[in-house]
């Protein structure tokens, strides 16, 4: 106990409701105060009499019903004054019907509205200022790979993966690409502060770029719908961030320790709107944010420089843009810069690492079968990118979005596991990222005809039976189950979040309530909707589990068998790159097409 | 633009239930309602007509990415 012991009378001035007072009584008892709790439905006169008889120091009144609230409370205060109590006893009022302004107007010493904490009431009783807990200080950055040792439980799959990953490492030896060369030059730029040398390096860099980027290095020209931000705009950002950062008291979404970390995705094109949305999501509890770049950026050789805004979806990757975002983040926020599908994969990981990103995203199979990049090119680039990820100690997720093209889960997972093994051999820390959604495979085959649980659960069971690795469900969870209705959309996201949590995964990426709306940009309000829904779902389930039906185990076994068959076919084929072209990890019939961007650009050194 | 709308980060959603005979009618009323409220750039996010009328969510964008956001530049609005 930190203050003088008080005698407190707690009285519900209400026909039935007294739960709040019971909670406060418990808190006051634990804090060492003497408490008397009257039953509901006492009259003001009876309460005043009890206060006088017991010689109390403080009276706490509660009122839940709004009916005649001002009249009843006014009458109570009048009686307290007439009896002489008012001069020597502190009187506080709280409850659903109470607004602090009303309490002050009527002459109460304090008014506690909905959401008041027990600690706040105790501070009032003890006569000290209530200092709200700094929730931001409680938030810490979580390394979701920390507790995993990547031990393979399925030795057959481990052996197959070893063979394939060794073959890939051997394949890329002595090969380079424009993407790798640019990354090497960019590194030299980071190390140099000599203007003449930098000019020369920029010339060398431009030589490995597409014309649209060459034009920038030749005369500063940017492609249409992009422009450099002005110094006035950058100054405005600084002022905006100073004010917003000072006001941040972030919510915490997780109710129990095993609830997964929650990521949102941003990429409005405008770094300022991105930052405004990121700060909104951080405030409402998001643990991590994922940078989405423009689709043309992935198909263009080379990066611009400077602070650049873009009028369409996807925020342009430059060192300066990434730095703007990084500097806006709370220290606890996990930040991922994706590098999984384009012609700038090595340099993206380099920039992300240099700026201080926590995570990146690399997957050869998805990037070359569903992302439009040539399989050979992306294989060579990805090995270089994974080496950067390892050097910057930046875990990367291996996303399996080729499932959205129609590739069955077992083939997508085979590709994911190959890149995972490659990552482990190159010293990185990969994260498995299964799609947690209503995928084309199940739409056609009917595994989600009854529920959305079993097949998603089967995927997690399958992966957990293969190796001990972190799992981050993506992206976003519940994809293709959400509609334009924000209530349904938020509910579907929250249910998928609960399922992911029940399956004890480490992370999830959630959409906004605008996920299915394609008529315009995502609104900040729609982001708040799904974060609130997810928090509510975590609170609802706690440690309770969602129980899948027996189908989940059957399908998990089938997925594992399918992975083995796919890996065997890749081993038998002899070349991973060739297997991608041949469709062994996703065929044209299934909807996967080997990408063409960057084809023919791999060179022998 | 009103001072209050300048403080909207990006969009205003109006959610309500319209008494009407069909989804088509609900769409017309929704856009007319938004125009009458002063939103020239309005779009229907969600609409479902059943029985007595339609549940709608209509959006008016105040700012789209790349616009000059007054809440961002105006110091008073940030305070």
């Amino acid at each position: 106990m930190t203050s003088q012991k008080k005698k407190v009378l707690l009285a519900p001035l209400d026909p039935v409701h007294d739960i709040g007072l019971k909670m406060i009584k418990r808190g006051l008892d634990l804090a060492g105060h003497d408490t008397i709790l009257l039953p509901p439905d006492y009259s003001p006169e009876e309460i005043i009499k009890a206060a006088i008889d017991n010689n109390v120091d403080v009276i706490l009144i509660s009122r839940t019903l709004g009916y005649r609230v001002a009249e009843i409370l006014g009458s109570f205060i009048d009686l307290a004054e007439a009896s002489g109590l008012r001069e020597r006893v502190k009187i506080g009022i709280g409850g659903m019907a109470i607004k602090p302004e009303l309490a002050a107007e009527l002459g109460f010493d304090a008014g506690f509205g909905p959401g008041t904490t027990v600690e706040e009431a105790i501070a009032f009783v003890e006569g000290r200022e209530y200092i709200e807990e700094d929730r931001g200080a409680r938030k810490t950055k979580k390394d979701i790979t920390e507790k995993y040792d990547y031990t393979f439980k399925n030795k057959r799959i481990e052996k197959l993966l070893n063979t394939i990953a060794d073959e890939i490492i051997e394949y890329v030896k002595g090969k380079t690409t424009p993407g790798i060369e640019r990354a090497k030059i960019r590194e030299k730029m980071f190390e140099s502060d000599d203007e003449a040398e930098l000019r020369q390096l920029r010339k060398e860099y431009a030589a490995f770029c597409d014309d649209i980027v060459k034009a920038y290095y030749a005369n500063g020209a940017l492609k249409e719908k992009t422009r450099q931000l002005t110094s006035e705009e950058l100054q405005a950002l600084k002022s905006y961030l100073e004010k917003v950062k000072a006001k941040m008291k972030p919510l915490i979404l997780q109710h129990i320790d095993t609830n997964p970390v929650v990521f949102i995705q941003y990429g409005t094109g405008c770094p300022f709107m991105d930052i405004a949305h990121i700060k909104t999501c951080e405030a409402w509890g998001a643990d991590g944010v994922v940078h989405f770049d423009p689709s043309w950026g992935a198909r263009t050789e080379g990066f611009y420089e400077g602070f650049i805004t873009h009028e369409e979806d996807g925020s342009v990757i430059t060192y300066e843009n990434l730095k703007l975002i990084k500097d806006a983040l709370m220290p606890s926020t996990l930040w991922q810069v994706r590098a999984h599908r384009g012609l700038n994969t090595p340099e993206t990981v380099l920039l992300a690492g240099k700026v201080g990103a926590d995570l990146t995203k690399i997957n050869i199979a998805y990037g070359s079968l569903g992302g439009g990049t040539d399989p050979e090119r992306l294989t060579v680039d990805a090995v270089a990118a994974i080496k950067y990820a390892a050097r910057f100690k930046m875990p990367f997720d291996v996303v399996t979005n080729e499932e959205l093209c129609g590739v069955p889960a077992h083939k997508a997972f085979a590709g994911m596991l190959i890149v995972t093994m490659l990552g482990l051999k190159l010293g990185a820390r990969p994260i498995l990222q299964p799609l947690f959604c209503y995928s084309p495979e199940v739409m056609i085959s009917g595994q989600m005809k009854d529920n959305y649980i079993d097949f998603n659960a089967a995927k997690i069971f399958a992966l957990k039976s293969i190796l001990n690795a972190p799992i981050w469900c993506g992206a976003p969870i519940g994809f293709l189950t959400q509609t334009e209705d924000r209530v349904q959309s938020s509910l579907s996201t929250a249910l998928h979040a609960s399922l992911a949590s029940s399956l004890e995964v480490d992370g999830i990426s959630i959409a906004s309530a605008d996920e299915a709306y394609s008529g315009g940009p995502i609104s900040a309000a729609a982001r708040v909707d799904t974060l609130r829904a997810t928090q509510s779902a975590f609170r609802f389930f706690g440690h309770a589990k969602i129980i899948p039906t027996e189908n989940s185990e059957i399908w998990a076994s089938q997925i594992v068998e399918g992975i083995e068959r796919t890996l065997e076919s890749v081993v038998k084929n002899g070349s991973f790159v060739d297997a991608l072209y041949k469709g062994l990890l996703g065929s044209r019939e299934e909807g996967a097409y080997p990408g063409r961007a960057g084809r023919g650009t791999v060179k022998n050194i | 633009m009103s001072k209050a709308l300048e403080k909207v980060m990006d969009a205003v959603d109006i959610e309500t239930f319209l008494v009407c005979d069909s989804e088509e009618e609900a769409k017309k009323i929704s856009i007319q309602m938004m125009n009458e409220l002063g939103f020239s750039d309005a779009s229907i996010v969600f609409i479902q007509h059943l029985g007595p009328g339609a549940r709608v969510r209509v959006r008016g964008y105040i700012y789209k990415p790349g616009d000059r956001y007054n809440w961002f530049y105006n110091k008073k609005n940030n305070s």
Side-chain angles (χ1 to χ4, degrees):
Chain A
M1 179 152 170
T2 54
S3 67
Q4 197 185 349
K5 186 174 178 175
K6 302 282 186 192
K7 197 166 191 181
V8 186
L9 179 73
L10 302 106
L13 196 52
D14 195 282
V16 285
H17 305 94
D18 66 347
I19 298 298
L21 283 183
K22 283 177 176 162
M23 289 168 67
I24 291 169
K25 176 182 168 15
R26 184 165 180 267
L28 288 168
D29 289 342
L30 288 171
H33 299 290
D34 282 344
T35 58
I36 304 157
L37 175 65
L38 297 181
D41 214 17
Y42 267 39
S43 68
E45 290 82 358
E46 288 171 304
I47 295 169
I48 295 289
K49 184 173 184 306
I52 293 168
D53 291 349
N54 290 286
N55 195 27
V56 300
D57 304 302
V58 181
I59 304 174
L60 291 176
I61 301 290
S62 75
R63 176 76 186 180
T64 298
L65 296 181
Y67 173 66
R68 289 179 60 219
V69 63
E71 184 188 333
I72 292 166
L73 296 179
S75 143
F76 181 85
I77 281 290
D78 289 346
L79 273 174
E81 278 184 8
S83 67
L85 261 185
R86 187 74 195 85
E87 289 171 13
R88 59 178 182 83
V89 176
K90 281 209 303 184
I91 309 178
I93 173 82
M96 292 299 283
I98 303 306
K99 290 183 176 145
E101 311 84 65
L102 174 69
E105 194 183 313
L106 293 172
F108 284 87
D109 294 305
F112 303 108
T116 299
T117 61
V118 171
E119 288 71 26
E120 212 171 334
I122 295 173
F124 169 70
V125 166
E126 293 177 353
R128 58 182 168 80
E129 188 190 354
Y130 171 65
I131 299 164
E132 200 177 344
E133 181 196 13
D134 182 0
R135 292 189 299 262
R138 256 212 293 154
K139 282 203 90 158
T140 52
K141 191 175 278 190
K142 195 169 176 183
D143 175 3
I144 61 175
T145 69
E146 196 176 39
K147 64 180 182 185
Y148 295 96
D149 62 4
Y150 296 92
T151 305
F152 274 81
K153 298 170 197 167
N154 185 318
K155 297 297 175 190
R156 170 77 185 139
I157 286 180
E158 181 181 26
K159 192 177 171 201
L160 292 164
L161 290 172
N162 265 318
T163 306
I164 299 166
D166 287 342
E167 186 273 327
I168 294 171
I169 291 167
E170 197 57 38
Y171 179 89
V172 304
K173 274 184 188 165
K175 291 187 172 69
T176 190
T177 71
I180 292 173
E181 294 305 311
R182 284 194 304 275
K184 286 181 189 166
I185 297 167
R186 184 68 67 189
E187 261 204 285
K188 288 181 190 166
M189 288 187 199
F190 282 125
E191 287 157 13
S192 175
D193 52 8
D194 181 296
E195 271 308 312
E197 186 185 18
L198 283 169
R199 272 197 300 278
Q200 180 57 33
L201 287 169
R202 284 197 177 92
K203 271 188 192 169
E204 290 174 23
Y205 182 92
F208 289 104
C209 295
D210 282 344
D211 288 347
I212 205 165
V213 181
K214 277 192 176 112
Y216 167 77
Y217 288 97
N219 55 32
L222 295 173
K223 81 186 286 288
E224 60 175 2
K225 297 189 175 177
T226 56
R227 67 171 176 86
Q228 295 277 0
L229 294 164
T230 65
S231 55
E232 182 218 4
E233 289 172 321
L234 293 167
Q235 186 55 44
L237 173 67
K238 199 175 163 193
S239 306
Y240 173 78
L241 272 176
E242 273 173 15
K243 290 186 174 78
V244 172
K245 282 182 177 179
K247 291 185 283 190
M248 290 293 282
K249 288 178 182 171
L251 299 177
I252 291 176
L253 297 180
Q254 290 75 15
H255 180 59
I256 58 171
D257 286 347
T258 52
N259 285 143
V261 295
V262 178
F263 291 83
I264 62 98
Q265 306 162 335
Y266 68 87
T268 64
C270 170
F272 297 163
M273 189 60 95
D274 283 343
I275 286 169
H277 276 212
I278 287 170
K279 299 313 289 179
T280 303
C281 291
E282 284 181 333
W284 263 268
D287 305 294
V289 298
V290 180
H291 185 100
F292 270 46
D293 57 319
S295 53
W296 57 261
R299 285 172 172 71
T300 304
E301 298 270 16
F303 281 142
Y304 292 136
E305 291 180 347
F307 301 102
I308 294 173
T309 187
H310 175 226
E311 286 176 29
E312 292 176 337
D313 279 355
S315 296
V316 176
I317 292 179
T318 65
Y319 176 81
E320 291 78 5
N321 272 9
L322 293 180
K323 188 84 170 56
L324 274 187
I325 304 284
K326 168 69 180 170
D327 291 347
L329 299 174
M330 292 196 317
S332 60
T333 299
L334 288 161
W335 181 42
Q336 182 185 52
V337 180
R338 308 184 314 162
H340 60 313
R341 73 202 198 289
L343 298 173
N344 299 296
T345 293
E347 192 180 352
T348 303
V349 180
L350 171 71
L351 291 180
K354 281 283 183 188
V355 177
D358 303 289
L359 299 151
T360 186
K361 183 187 286 283
I362 304 167
N363 187 359
I364 304 167
Y366 165 64
S368 59
L369 295 178
T373 303
D374 173 61
E376 182 187 31
R377 167 65 184 267
L378 195 54
T379 302
V380 178
D381 275 359
V383 170
I386 292 170
K387 287 179 182 171
Y388 280 124
R391 196 174 103 194
F392 288 105
K393 301 190 187 320
M394 195 165 40
F396 69 93
D397 82 62
V398 194
V399 62
T400 51
N401 278 25
E402 61 266 47
E403 269 197 74
L404 294 177
C405 307
V407 174
H410 67 267
K411 286 195 181 178
F413 283 12
M416 170 168 67
L417 290 168
I418 290 169
V419 178
T420 298
M421 179 59 93
L422 190 59
L424 293 173
K425 284 184 180 285
L426 296 171
R429 294 186 72 76
I431 301 164
L432 307 175
Q433 188 164 102
L435 273 182
F436 209 67
C437 76
Y438 188 36
S439 62
E441 177 190 13
V442 297
M443 286 180 195
I444 295 164
S445 307
Q447 292 97 328
M448 286 189 174
K449 202 172 173 185
D450 178 69
N451 62 64
Y452 289 136
I453 295 171
D454 290 340
F455 197 72
N456 281 322
K459 288 178 175 181
I460 306 303
F461 293 154
L463 291 174
K464 287 194 173 191
S465 76
I466 294 169
L467 81 161
N468 180 36
I471 297 177
W472 171 0
C473 293
I477 55 168
F479 191 58
L480 299 176
T481 67
Q482 292 109 341
T483 68
E484 289 106 334
D485 171 15
R486 72 183 184 93
V487 177
Q488 186 279 339
S489 186
S490 303
L491 176 63
S492 189
T493 292
L495 290 172
H496 281 83
S498 303
L499 176 61
S501 181
S502 179
L503 295 165
E504 297 181 1
V505 306
D506 306 281
I508 54 173
S509 287
I510 67 165
S512 74
D514 277 347
E515 176 60 26
Y517 168 63
S518 56
I522 291 168
S523 72
R527 293 189 176 280
V528 171
D529 286 347
T530 48
L531 287 163
R532 282 181 55 82
T534 300
Q535 182 187 36
S536 189
F538 286 165
R539 175 66 187 88
F540 180 82
F541 282 100
H543 286 98
K545 296 286 185 188
I546 296 172
I547 304 170
T549 77
E550 61 199 19
N551 279 336
S552 59
E553 295 289 353
I554 297 166
W555 292 335
S557 299
Q558 289 172 357
I559 289 171
V560 174
E561 287 162 17
I563 292 169
E564 284 187 25
R565 275 198 315 276
T566 305
L567 294 176
E568 279 163 7
S569 71
V570 175
V571 169
K572 194 174 168 192
N573 188 63
S575 160
F576 168 71
V577 169
D578 186 57
L580 288 168
Y581 287 118
K582 280 184 178 162
L584 299 183
L585 290 153
S587 67
R588 286 171 172 81
E589 294 72 33
E590 288 159 340
Y593 294 89
R596 292 182 298 177
R599 188 162 294 181
T601 55
V602 175
K603 305 282 182 217
N604 289 312
I605 300 168
Chain B
M1 188 189 297
S2 77
K3 285 286 173 199
L5 288 179
E6 282 184 358
K7 294 209 176 193
V8 172
M9 186 173 278
D10 39 32
V12 173
D13 285 1
I14 305 279
E15 297 195 54
T16 191
F17 192 91
L18 298 172
V19 178
C20 56
D21 294 327
S22 68
E23 191 167 305
E24 276 312 300
E25 189 188 355
K27 282 181 186 170
K28 282 181 192 160
I29 297 169
S30 298
I31 298 299
Q32 184 188 340
M33 177 180 70
M34 293 302 278
N35 290 339
E36 286 176 7
L37 288 168
F39 295 100
S40 52
D41 182 8
S43 56
I44 295 167
V45 180
F46 171 68
I47 192 159
Q48 184 177 27
H49 180 274
L50 290 167
R55 173 77 170 98
V56 296
R57 178 178 171 213
V58 204
R59 175 168 298 175
Y61 281 100
I62 307 299
Y63 302 113
K64 284 187 172 172
D67 287 347
R68 188 179 170 84
Y69 327 116
N70 281 351
W71 49 261
F72 184 75
Y73 293 100
N74 186 333
K75 285 182 182 173
K76 281 183 186 167
N77 282 350
N78 283 342
S79 62

